[in-house]
Coordinates of all heavy atoms in Angstrom, one line a residue:
M1 N 41.1 55.3 108.0 CA 42.4 56.0 108.1 C 42.1 57.5 107.7 O 41.6 57.7 106.6 CB 43.4 55.4 107.1 CG 44.7 56.0 107.1 SD 45.9 54.9 106.4 CE 46.5 55.8 105.1
D2 N 42.5 58.4 108.5 CA 42.3 59.8 108.2 C 43.4 60.3 107.3 O 44.4 59.7 107.1 CB 42.2 60.6 109.5 CG 43.5 60.5 110.4 OD1 44.4 59.7 110.0 OD2 43.6 61.2 111.3
S3 N 43.1 61.5 106.7 CA 44.0 62.0 105.7 C 45.3 62.5 106.3 O 46.3 62.6 105.7 CB 43.3 63.2 104.9 OG 43.0 64.2 105.8
E4 N 45.3 63.0 107.6 CA 46.5 63.4 108.2 C 47.5 62.3 108.4 O 48.7 62.5 108.2 CB 46.2 64.1 109.6 CG 45.5 65.4 109.4 CD 45.2 66.1 110.8 OE1 45.8 65.6 111.8 OE2 44.5 67.1 110.8
G5 N 47.1 61.2 108.8 CA 48.0 60.0 109.0 C 48.5 59.6 107.7 O 49.7 59.2 107.6
G6 N 47.7 59.6 106.6 CA 48.2 59.2 105.3 C 49.2 60.1 104.8 O 50.3 59.8 104.2
C7 N 49.0 61.4 105.0 CA 49.9 62.5 104.5 C 51.3 62.4 105.3 O 52.3 62.5 104.7 CB 49.3 63.8 104.7 SG 50.3 65.2 104.1
Y8 N 51.2 62.1 106.6 CA 52.4 61.9 107.4 C 53.2 60.8 107.0 O 54.4 60.9 106.9 CB 51.9 61.8 108.9 CG 53.1 61.5 109.8 CD1 54.0 62.6 110.2 CD2 53.3 60.3 110.3 CE1 55.0 62.3 111.0 CE2 54.4 60.0 111.2 CZ 55.2 61.1 111.5 OH 56.3 60.8 112.3
N9 N 52.5 59.6 106.7 CA 53.2 58.4 106.2 C 53.9 58.7 104.9 O 55.0 58.2 104.6 CB 52.3 57.2 106.2 CG 52.1 56.6 107.5 OD1 52.9 56.8 108.4 ND2 50.9 56.0 107.7
C10 N 53.2 59.4 104.0 CA 53.7 59.7 102.7 C 55.0 60.6 102.8 O 56.0 60.3 102.2 CB 52.7 60.4 101.8 SG 53.2 60.8 100.2
M11 N 54.9 61.6 103.7 CA 56.1 62.4 103.9 C 57.3 61.7 104.5 O 58.4 61.9 104.1 CB 55.8 63.6 104.8 CG 54.9 64.7 104.1 SD 54.7 66.2 105.0 CE 54.3 65.7 106.6
K12 N 56.9 60.8 105.4 CA 58.0 60.0 106.1 C 58.7 59.1 105.0 O 59.9 59.0 105.0 CB 57.3 59.1 107.1 CG 58.3 58.2 107.9 CD 57.6 57.6 109.0 CE 57.4 56.1 108.8 NZ 56.9 55.4 110.0
Y13 N 57.9 58.4 104.2 CA 58.6 57.5 103.2 C 59.3 58.3 102.1 O 60.3 57.9 101.5 CB 57.6 56.5 102.7 CG 57.3 55.5 103.7 CD1 56.0 55.4 104.3 CD2 58.3 54.6 104.2 CE1 55.8 54.5 105.3 CE2 58.0 53.7 105.2 CZ 56.8 53.6 105.7 OH 56.5 52.7 106.7
L14 N 58.7 59.5 101.7 CA 59.4 60.3 100.7 C 60.8 60.8 101.3 O 61.8 60.8 100.5 CB 58.6 61.5 100.3 CG 57.5 61.2 99.3 CD1 56.6 62.5 99.1 CD2 58.1 60.8 98.0
L15 N 60.8 61.2 102.5 CA 62.0 61.6 103.2 C 63.0 60.4 103.2 O 64.2 60.6 102.9 CB 61.8 62.1 104.6 CG 63.0 62.6 105.4 CD1 63.6 63.9 104.7 CD2 62.6 62.9 106.8
F16 N 62.5 59.3 103.5 CA 63.4 58.1 103.5 C 64.0 57.8 102.1 O 65.2 57.6 101.9 CB 62.6 56.8 103.9 CG 63.4 55.6 103.8 CD1 64.4 55.3 104.7 CD2 63.1 54.7 102.8 CE1 65.2 54.1 104.5 CE2 63.9 53.5 102.6 CZ 64.9 53.2 103.5
V17 N 63.1 57.9 101.0 CA 63.6 57.6 99.7 C 64.6 58.6 99.2 O 65.7 58.2 98.6 CB 62.4 57.5 98.7 CG1 62.8 57.5 97.2 CG2 61.5 56.3 99.0
F18 N 64.4 59.9 99.4 CA 65.3 60.9 99.0 C 66.6 60.8 99.8 O 67.7 61.0 99.2 CB 64.7 62.3 99.1 CG 63.7 62.6 98.0 CD1 62.4 63.0 98.4 CD2 64.0 62.4 96.7 CE1 61.5 63.2 97.4 CE2 63.0 62.6 95.7 CZ 61.8 63.0 96.1
N19 N 66.6 60.5 101.0 CA 67.8 60.3 101.8 C 68.5 59.0 101.4 O 69.7 59.0 101.5 CB 67.5 60.3 103.3 CG 67.3 61.7 103.8 OD1 68.2 62.6 103.6 ND2 66.2 62.0 104.4
L20 N 67.8 58.0 101.0 CA 68.4 56.8 100.5 C 69.2 57.1 99.2 O 70.3 56.6 99.1 CB 67.4 55.7 100.2 CG 67.9 54.4 99.8 CD1 68.7 53.7 100.8 CD2 66.7 53.5 99.3
L21 N 68.6 57.9 98.4 CA 69.4 58.3 97.2 C 70.6 59.1 97.5 O 71.7 58.9 96.9 CB 68.4 59.1 96.2 CG 67.3 58.3 95.6 CD1 66.4 59.3 94.8 CD2 67.8 57.2 94.7
F22 N 70.5 60.0 98.5 CA 71.6 60.8 99.0 C 72.7 59.9 99.6 O 73.9 60.1 99.3 CB 71.1 61.8 100.0 CG 72.1 62.9 100.3 CD1 72.4 63.9 99.4 CD2 72.7 63.0 101.5 CE1 73.2 64.9 99.6 CE2 73.5 64.0 101.8 CZ 73.8 65.0 100.9
W23 N 72.3 58.9 100.3 CA 73.2 57.9 100.9 C 73.9 57.1 99.8 O 75.1 56.9 99.9 CB 72.4 57.0 101.9 CG 73.2 56.0 102.6 CD1 74.0 56.2 103.6 CD2 73.2 54.6 102.2 NE1 74.6 55.0 104.0 CE2 74.1 54.0 103.2 CE3 72.6 53.8 101.3 CZ2 74.4 52.7 103.1 CZ3 72.9 52.5 101.3 CH2 73.8 51.9 102.2
L24 N 73.2 56.7 98.8 CA 73.8 55.9 97.7 C 74.8 56.8 96.9 O 75.8 56.3 96.5 CB 72.7 55.4 96.8 CG 71.9 54.3 97.4 CD1 70.7 53.9 96.4 CD2 72.7 53.0 97.7
A25 N 74.4 58.1 96.7 CA 75.4 59.0 96.1 C 76.7 59.2 96.9 O 77.8 59.2 96.3 CB 74.7 60.3 95.8
G26 N 76.5 59.3 98.2 CA 77.7 59.4 99.1 C 78.5 58.1 99.0 O 79.7 58.2 99.0
A27 N 77.8 57.0 99.0 CA 78.6 55.7 98.9 C 79.3 55.6 97.6 O 80.5 55.1 97.5 CB 77.6 54.5 99.1
A28 N 78.7 56.1 96.5 CA 79.4 56.0 95.2 C 80.6 57.0 95.2 O 81.7 56.6 94.7 CB 78.4 56.5 94.1
L29 N 80.5 58.2 95.7 CA 81.6 59.1 95.8 C 82.8 58.5 96.7 O 83.9 58.5 96.3 CB 81.2 60.4 96.3 CG 80.5 61.4 95.4 CD1 80.1 62.6 96.1 CD2 81.4 61.7 94.2
L30 N 82.4 57.9 97.8 CA 83.3 57.3 98.7 C 84.0 56.1 97.9 O 85.3 56.0 98.0 CB 82.6 56.8 99.9 CG 83.5 56.2 101.0 CD1 84.4 57.3 101.6 CD2 82.6 55.7 102.2
G31 N 83.3 55.3 97.2 CA 83.8 54.2 96.5 C 84.8 54.6 95.4 O 85.8 54.0 95.2
V32 N 84.4 55.6 94.6 CA 85.2 56.1 93.6 C 86.5 56.7 94.1 O 87.6 56.4 93.6 CB 84.5 57.1 92.7 CG1 85.4 57.9 91.8 CG2 83.4 56.5 91.9
G33 N 86.4 57.4 95.2 CA 87.6 58.0 95.8 C 88.6 56.9 96.3 O 89.8 57.0 96.1
I34 N 88.1 55.9 96.9 CA 88.9 54.8 97.4 C 89.5 54.0 96.2 O 90.7 53.6 96.2 CB 88.1 53.9 98.4 CG1 87.8 54.6 99.7 CG2 88.9 52.6 98.7 CD1 86.9 53.9 100.6
W35 N 88.7 53.8 95.2 CA 89.1 53.1 94.0 C 90.3 53.8 93.4 O 91.3 53.2 92.9 CB 88.0 52.9 93.1 CG 88.3 52.2 91.8 CD1 89.0 51.1 91.6 CD2 88.1 52.8 90.5 NE1 89.1 50.8 90.3 CE2 88.6 51.8 89.6 CE3 87.5 53.9 90.0 CZ2 88.5 52.0 88.2 CZ3 87.3 54.1 88.7 CH2 87.8 53.2 87.8
V36 N 90.2 55.2 93.3 CA 91.2 55.9 92.6 C 92.5 55.9 93.5 O 93.6 55.7 92.9 CB 90.8 57.4 92.5 CG1 92.0 58.3 92.1 CG2 89.7 57.5 91.4
I37 N 92.4 55.9 94.8 CA 93.6 55.8 95.6 C 94.3 54.4 95.5 O 95.5 54.3 95.4 CB 93.3 56.1 97.1 CG1 92.9 57.6 97.3 CG2 94.4 55.8 98.0 CD1 94.0 58.6 97.0
V38 N 93.4 53.4 95.5 CA 94.0 52.0 95.4 C 94.6 51.7 94.1 O 95.7 51.1 94.0 CB 92.8 51.0 95.7 CG1 93.3 49.6 95.4 CG2 92.4 51.1 97.2
A39 N 93.9 52.1 93.0 CA 94.4 51.9 91.6 C 95.2 53.1 91.1 O 95.0 53.5 89.9 CB 93.3 51.5 90.7
Q40 N 95.9 53.7 91.9 CA 96.6 55.0 91.6 C 97.6 54.8 90.4 O 97.6 55.7 89.6 CB 97.4 55.4 92.9 CG 98.0 56.7 92.7 CD 98.7 57.1 94.1 OE1 98.5 56.5 95.1 NE2 99.4 58.2 94.1
Q41 N 98.3 53.7 90.3 CA 99.2 53.6 89.3 C 98.6 53.5 87.9 O 99.1 54.0 86.9 CB 100.1 52.3 89.5 CG 100.9 52.3 90.7 CD 101.9 53.5 90.6 OE1 102.5 53.8 89.6 NE2 102.2 54.1 91.8
N42 N 97.4 53.0 87.8 CA 96.7 52.9 86.5 C 96.3 54.3 86.1 O 96.3 54.6 84.9 CB 95.4 52.1 86.6 CG 95.7 50.6 86.9 OD1 96.8 50.2 86.6 ND2 94.8 49.9 87.5
F43 N 95.9 55.2 87.0 CA 95.5 56.5 86.6 C 96.7 57.5 86.4 O 96.5 58.5 85.7 CB 94.6 57.1 87.7 CG 93.3 56.5 87.8 CD1 93.0 55.6 88.8 CD2 92.3 56.7 86.8 CE1 91.7 55.0 88.9 CE2 91.1 56.1 86.9 CZ 90.8 55.2 87.9
I44 N 97.8 57.2 87.0 CA 99.0 58.1 86.8 C 99.4 58.0 85.3 O 99.9 59.0 84.8 CB 100.1 57.7 87.8 CG1 99.7 58.2 89.2 CG2 101.4 58.3 87.4 CD1 100.7 57.9 90.3
T45 N 99.3 56.9 84.7 CA 99.6 56.8 83.3 C 98.7 57.7 82.4 O 99.2 58.1 81.4 CB 99.6 55.3 82.8 OG1 98.2 54.8 83.0 CG2 100.5 54.4 83.5
L46 N 97.5 57.9 82.9 CA 96.6 58.7 82.1 C 96.8 60.2 82.4 O 96.8 61.0 81.5 CB 95.1 58.4 82.5 CG 94.6 57.0 82.0 CD1 93.2 56.8 82.6 CD2 94.6 56.9 80.5
V47 N 97.0 60.6 83.7 CA 97.0 62.0 84.0 C 98.4 62.5 84.3 O 98.6 63.7 84.5 CB 96.1 62.3 85.2 CG1 94.7 62.1 84.9 CG2 96.6 61.6 86.4
G48 N 99.4 61.7 84.3 CA 100.8 62.1 84.6 C 100.9 62.2 86.1 O 100.1 61.8 86.9
D49 N 102.1 62.7 86.5 CA 102.4 62.8 88.0 C 101.9 64.1 88.5 O 102.7 65.0 88.7 CB 103.9 62.6 88.2 CG 104.2 62.4 89.6 OD1 103.3 62.0 90.4 OD2 105.4 62.6 90.0
N50 N 100.6 64.3 88.6 CA 100.0 65.6 89.1 C 99.5 65.4 90.5 O 98.7 64.5 90.8 CB 98.8 65.9 88.1 CG 98.3 67.3 88.4 OD1 98.7 68.0 89.3 ND2 97.5 67.8 87.5
P51 N 100.0 66.2 91.4 CA 99.6 66.1 92.8 C 98.1 66.5 93.1 O 97.5 66.0 94.0 CB 100.5 67.1 93.6 CG 101.0 68.0 92.6 CD 101.0 67.3 91.3
L52 N 97.5 67.2 92.2 CA 96.1 67.5 92.3 C 95.2 66.3 92.1 O 94.1 66.2 92.6 CB 95.7 68.6 91.3 CG 96.2 70.0 91.5 CD1 95.8 70.9 90.4 CD2 95.8 70.5 92.9
F53 N 95.7 65.3 91.4 CA 95.0 64.1 91.2 C 94.8 63.4 92.6 O 93.6 63.0 92.9 CB 95.8 63.1 90.3 CG 95.3 61.8 90.2 CD1 94.1 61.5 89.5 CD2 95.9 60.7 90.7 CE1 93.6 60.2 89.4 CE2 95.5 59.4 90.6 CZ 94.3 59.2 90.0
I54 N 95.8 63.2 93.4 CA 95.6 62.6 94.7 C 94.8 63.5 95.6 O 94.0 62.9 96.4 CB 97.0 62.3 95.3 CG1 97.9 61.4 94.4 CG2 96.9 61.7 96.7 CD1 97.2 60.1 94.1
T55 N 95.0 64.8 95.6 CA 94.2 65.7 96.4 C 92.7 65.6 96.0 O 91.8 65.5 96.9 CB 94.6 67.1 96.2 OG1 96.0 67.2 96.5 CG2 93.9 68.1 97.1
G56 N 92.4 65.5 94.7 CA 91.0 65.3 94.3 C 90.4 64.0 94.8 O 89.2 63.9 95.2
A57 N 91.2 62.9 94.8 CA 90.7 61.7 95.3 C 90.4 61.7 96.8 O 89.4 61.2 97.3 CB 91.8 60.6 95.1
Y58 N 91.2 62.4 97.6 CA 91.0 62.6 99.0 C 89.8 63.5 99.3 O 89.0 63.2 100.2 CB 92.2 63.1 99.7 CG 93.3 62.0 100.0 CD1 94.5 62.2 99.4 CD2 93.0 60.9 100.7 CE1 95.5 61.2 99.6 CE2 93.9 59.9 100.8 CZ 95.2 60.1 100.3 OH 96.1 59.1 100.5
I59 N 89.6 64.4 98.4 CA 88.4 65.3 98.5 C 87.1 64.4 98.3 O 86.1 64.6 98.9 CB 88.5 66.5 97.6 CG1 89.5 67.5 98.2 CG2 87.1 67.2 97.5 CD1 89.8 68.6 97.2
L60 N 87.2 63.6 97.2 CA 86.1 62.7 97.0 C 85.8 61.8 98.2 O 84.6 61.6 98.5 CB 86.4 61.8 95.7 CG 86.1 62.4 94.4 CD1 86.6 61.4 93.3 CD2 84.7 62.7 94.2
I61 N 86.8 61.3 98.8 CA 86.6 60.4 100.0 C 85.9 61.2 101.1 O 85.0 60.7 101.7 CB 87.9 59.8 100.4 CG1 88.4 58.8 99.4 CG2 87.8 59.1 101.8 CD1 89.8 58.2 99.6
G62 N 86.4 62.4 101.3 CA 85.9 63.2 102.4 C 84.4 63.6 102.2 O 83.6 63.5 103.1
V63 N 84.1 64.1 101.0 CA 82.7 64.5 100.7 C 81.8 63.3 100.6 O 80.7 63.3 101.1 CB 82.7 65.3 99.3 CG1 81.3 65.5 98.8 CG2 83.4 66.6 99.4
G64 N 82.3 62.2 100.1 CA 81.5 60.9 100.1 C 81.2 60.4 101.5 O 80.1 60.0 101.7
A65 N 82.2 60.5 102.4 CA 81.9 60.0 103.7 C 80.9 60.9 104.4 O 80.1 60.4 105.2 CB 83.3 60.0 104.5
F66 N 81.0 62.2 104.2 CA 80.1 63.2 104.8 C 78.7 62.9 104.3 O 77.7 62.9 105.1 CB 80.6 64.6 104.6 CG 79.7 65.6 105.3 CD1 79.8 65.8 106.6 CD2 78.8 66.4 104.5 CE1 78.9 66.7 107.3 CE2 78.0 67.3 105.1 CZ 78.1 67.5 106.5
M67 N 78.6 62.8 103.0 CA 77.2 62.5 102.4 C 76.7 61.2 102.9 O 75.5 61.1 103.1 CB 77.3 62.5 100.9 CG 77.4 63.9 100.2 SD 77.6 63.8 98.4 CE 76.1 63.0 98.0
F68 N 77.5 60.2 103.0 CA 77.1 58.9 103.5 C 76.6 59.0 104.9 O 75.5 58.4 105.2 CB 78.4 58.0 103.5 CG 78.1 56.5 103.7 CD1 77.7 55.7 102.6 CD2 78.2 55.9 104.9 CE1 77.4 54.4 102.8 CE2 78.0 54.6 105.1 CZ 77.6 53.8 104.1
F69 N 77.2 59.8 105.8 CA 76.8 60.0 107.1 C 75.5 60.7 107.2 O 74.6 60.3 107.9 CB 77.9 60.7 107.9 CG 77.5 60.9 109.4 CD1 77.4 59.9 110.3 CD2 77.3 62.2 109.8 CE1 77.0 60.1 111.6 CE2 77.0 62.5 111.1 CZ 76.8 61.4 112.0
V70 N 75.4 61.8 106.4 CA 74.2 62.6 106.5 C 73.0 61.8 105.9 O 71.9 61.9 106.5 CB 74.4 63.9 105.7 CG1 73.1 64.7 105.5 CG2 75.4 64.8 106.4
G71 N 73.2 61.1 104.8 CA 72.2 60.2 104.3 C 71.7 59.2 105.3 O 70.5 58.9 105.4
F72 N 72.7 58.6 106.0 CA 72.3 57.6 107.0 C 71.5 58.2 108.1 O 70.5 57.6 108.5 CB 73.6 57.0 107.6 CG 73.4 56.1 108.7 CD1 73.0 54.8 108.5 CD2 73.6 56.5 110.0 CE1 72.8 53.9 109.5 CE2 73.4 55.6 111.1 CZ 73.0 54.3 110.8
L73 N 71.8 59.4 108.6 CA 71.0 60.0 109.6 C 69.6 60.3 109.1 O 68.7 60.1 109.8 CB 71.7 61.3 110.0 CG 72.9 61.3 111.0 CD1 73.4 62.7 111.2 CD2 72.5 60.6 112.3
G74 N 69.5 60.8 107.9 CA 68.2 61.0 107.3 C 67.3 59.8 107.2 O 66.1 59.8 107.5
C75 N 67.9 58.7 106.6 CA 67.2 57.5 106.4 C 66.7 56.9 107.8 O 65.6 56.6 108.0 CB 68.1 56.4 105.7 SG 68.2 56.7 104.0
C76 N 67.7 56.7 108.7 CA 67.3 56.1 110.0 C 66.4 57.0 110.8 O 65.5 56.5 111.5 CB 68.6 55.8 110.7 SG 69.5 54.4 110.0
G77 N 66.7 58.3 110.7 CA 65.8 59.2 111.5 C 64.4 59.2 111.0 O 63.4 59.3 111.7
A78 N 64.2 59.1 109.6 CA 62.9 59.1 109.1 C 62.1 57.8 109.4 O 60.9 57.8 109.8 CB 62.9 59.3 107.6
I79 N 62.8 56.7 109.2 CA 62.1 55.4 109.4 C 61.8 55.2 110.9 O 60.7 54.7 111.3 CB 62.9 54.3 108.8 CG1 62.9 54.3 107.3 CG2 62.5 52.9 109.3 CD1 61.5 54.2 106.7
K80 N 62.8 55.4 111.8 CA 62.6 55.2 113.2 C 61.9 56.3 113.9 O 61.6 56.2 115.1 CB 64.0 54.9 113.8 CG 64.6 53.6 113.3 CD 65.6 53.1 114.3 CE 66.1 51.8 113.8 NZ 65.5 50.6 114.3
E81 N 61.7 57.4 113.2 CA 61.1 58.6 113.8 C 61.9 59.1 115.0 O 61.3 59.5 116.0 CB 59.7 58.4 114.1 CG 58.8 58.1 112.9 CD 57.4 57.8 113.2 OE1 56.9 58.1 114.3 OE2 56.7 57.2 112.3
S82 N 63.2 59.1 114.9 CA 64.1 59.5 116.0 C 64.3 61.0 115.9 O 64.8 61.5 114.9 CB 65.5 58.8 115.8 OG 66.4 59.3 116.7
K83 N 63.8 61.7 116.9 CA 63.9 63.1 117.0 C 65.4 63.6 117.0 O 65.8 64.6 116.3 CB 63.2 63.6 118.2 CG 63.0 65.1 118.2 CD 62.1 65.5 119.4 CE 61.9 67.0 119.3 NZ 61.0 67.5 120.5
C84 N 66.3 62.9 117.7 CA 67.7 63.3 117.8 C 68.4 63.1 116.5 O 69.1 64.0 116.1 CB 68.4 62.4 118.9 SG 70.1 62.7 119.1
M85 N 68.1 62.1 115.8 CA 68.7 61.9 114.4 C 68.2 62.9 113.4 O 69.0 63.5 112.6 CB 68.4 60.5 113.9 CG 69.3 59.4 114.5 SD 68.8 57.8 113.6 CE 70.2 56.9 114.1
L86 N 66.9 63.2 113.5 CA 66.4 64.2 112.6 C 66.9 65.6 112.8 O 67.1 66.4 111.9 CB 64.9 64.1 112.6 CG 64.3 62.9 111.9 CD1 62.8 62.9 112.1 CD2 64.6 62.8 110.4
I87 N 67.1 65.9 114.1 CA 67.6 67.3 114.5 C 69.1 67.4 114.0 O 69.5 68.4 113.4 CB 67.4 67.5 116.0 CG1 66.0 67.8 116.3 CG2 68.3 68.7 116.4 CD1 65.7 67.9 117.8
L88 N 69.8 66.3 114.2 CA 71.2 66.3 113.8 C 71.3 66.4 112.2 O 72.1 67.1 111.7 CB 72.0 65.1 114.3 CG 73.5 65.0 114.0 CD1 74.2 66.3 114.6 CD2 74.0 63.8 114.6
F89 N 70.4 65.7 111.6 CA 70.3 65.7 110.1 C 70.0 67.2 109.6 O 70.6 67.7 108.7 CB 69.2 64.7 109.7 CG 68.9 64.9 108.2 CD1 69.7 64.4 107.2 CD2 67.6 65.4 107.8 CE1 69.4 64.5 105.9 CE2 67.3 65.4 106.5 CZ 68.2 65.0 105.5
F90 N 69.0 67.8 110.3 CA 68.7 69.2 109.9 C 69.8 70.1 110.2 O 70.1 71.0 109.3 CB 67.4 69.6 110.8 CG 67.0 71.0 110.5 CD1 66.4 71.3 109.3 CD2 67.1 71.9 111.4 CE1 66.0 72.6 109.0 CE2 66.7 73.2 111.2 CZ 66.1 73.6 110.0
I91 N 70.5 70.0 111.3 CA 71.7 70.9 111.6 C 72.7 70.7 110.5 O 73.3 71.7 110.0 CB 72.2 70.6 113.0 CG1 71.2 71.1 114.0 CG2 73.6 71.3 113.2 CD1 71.5 70.7 115.4
L92 N 73.0 69.5 110.1 CA 74.0 69.2 109.1 C 73.6 69.8 107.8 O 74.4 70.3 107.0 CB 74.4 67.7 109.0 CG 75.1 67.2 110.2 CD1 75.3 65.7 110.1 CD2 76.5 67.8 110.3
L93 N 72.3 69.7 107.4 CA 71.8 70.3 106.2 C 72.0 71.8 106.2 O 72.3 72.4 105.2 CB 70.4 69.9 105.9 CG 70.2 68.5 105.3 CD1 68.7 68.3 105.1 CD2 71.0 68.3 104.1
L94 N 71.7 72.4 107.4 CA 71.9 73.8 107.5 C 73.3 74.2 107.3 O 73.6 75.3 106.7 CB 71.4 74.3 108.9 CG 69.9 74.5 109.0 CD1 69.5 74.9 110.4 CD2 69.3 75.5 108.0
L95 N 74.2 73.5 107.8 CA 75.7 73.7 107.7 C 76.1 73.6 106.2 O 76.9 74.4 105.7 CB 76.5 72.8 108.5 CG 76.5 73.0 110.0 CD1 77.3 71.9 110.7 CD2 77.0 74.4 110.3
I96 N 75.5 72.6 105.5 CA 75.8 72.5 104.1 C 75.3 73.7 103.3 O 76.0 74.3 102.4 CB 75.1 71.2 103.5 CG1 75.9 70.0 104.1 CG2 75.2 71.2 102.0 CD1 75.2 68.7 103.8
F97 N 74.1 74.1 103.6 CA 73.5 75.3 102.9 C 74.3 76.6 103.2 O 74.5 77.4 102.4 CB 72.0 75.4 103.1 CG 71.2 74.4 102.4 CD1 70.3 73.7 103.1 CD2 71.4 74.2 101.0 CE1 69.5 72.8 102.4 CE2 70.6 73.3 100.4 CZ 69.7 72.6 101.0
A98 N 74.7 76.7 104.5 CA 75.5 77.9 104.9 C 76.9 77.9 104.2 O 77.4 79.0 103.9 CB 75.6 77.9 106.4
A99 N 77.4 76.7 104.0 CA 78.8 76.7 103.4 C 78.7 77.0 101.9 O 79.7 77.5 101.3 CB 79.3 75.3 103.5
E100 N 77.6 76.9 101.3 CA 77.5 77.2 99.9 C 77.5 78.7 99.7 O 77.9 79.3 98.9 CB 76.2 76.7 99.3 CG 76.2 75.2 99.1 CD 74.9 74.7 98.5 OE1 74.0 75.5 98.2 OE2 74.8 73.5 98.3

């Protein structure tokens, strides 16, 4: 086995692992946002009747879904070596960095 193939495989699996973590973080944000919307009455007793509470929950859902999708593209694109998925993943990452 030559060193180029080993380095390529290492980069491929590192990309997969980091995107898997990104995907899990997106799933966690999505889950927390949905949980807050579903158990809304329990949280209203804590924070009062504040409309920003519901808005924050919807923002969590939106950001979580976006992270979930981007992480999915990165994971599947890295493992399957799909050029289309990796290009879309790269474009979405560029949009994220441009938005900051």
Side-chain angles (χ1 to χ4, degrees):
M1 181 161 121
D2 60 351
S3 64
E4 288 181 11
C7 184
Y8 176 74
N9 282 333
C10 181
M11 286 191 314
K12 178 172 109 172
Y13 287 112
L14 278 174
L15 182 65
F16 173 76
V17 167
F18 288 125
N19 281 304
L20 181 66
L21 293 175
F22 195 69
W23 181 75
L24 289 173
L29 282 177
L30 186 62
V32 168
I34 292 172
W35 176 55
V36 167
I37 294 295
V38 169
Q40 183 176 354
Q41 293 302 321
N42 296 337
F43 290 106
I44 286 180
T45 59
L46 292 174
V47 296
D49 193 20
N50 191 349
L52 290 177
F53 171 72
I54 301 300
T55 304
Y58 284 120
I59 289 172
L60 276 177
I61 291 172
V63 169
F66 184 72
M67 284 178 63
F68 192 83
F69 179 68
V70 171
F72 174 77
L73 282 177
C75 283
C76 289
I79 288 298
K80 298 205 177 263
E81 299 177 15
S82 170
K83 191 174 184 179
C84 180
M85 283 183 162
L86 288 174
I87 289 173
L88 186 57
F89 170 72
F90 178 71
I91 290 170
L92 289 174
L93 281 183
L94 280 177
L95 288 175
I96 289 171
F97 286 129
E100 287 180 2

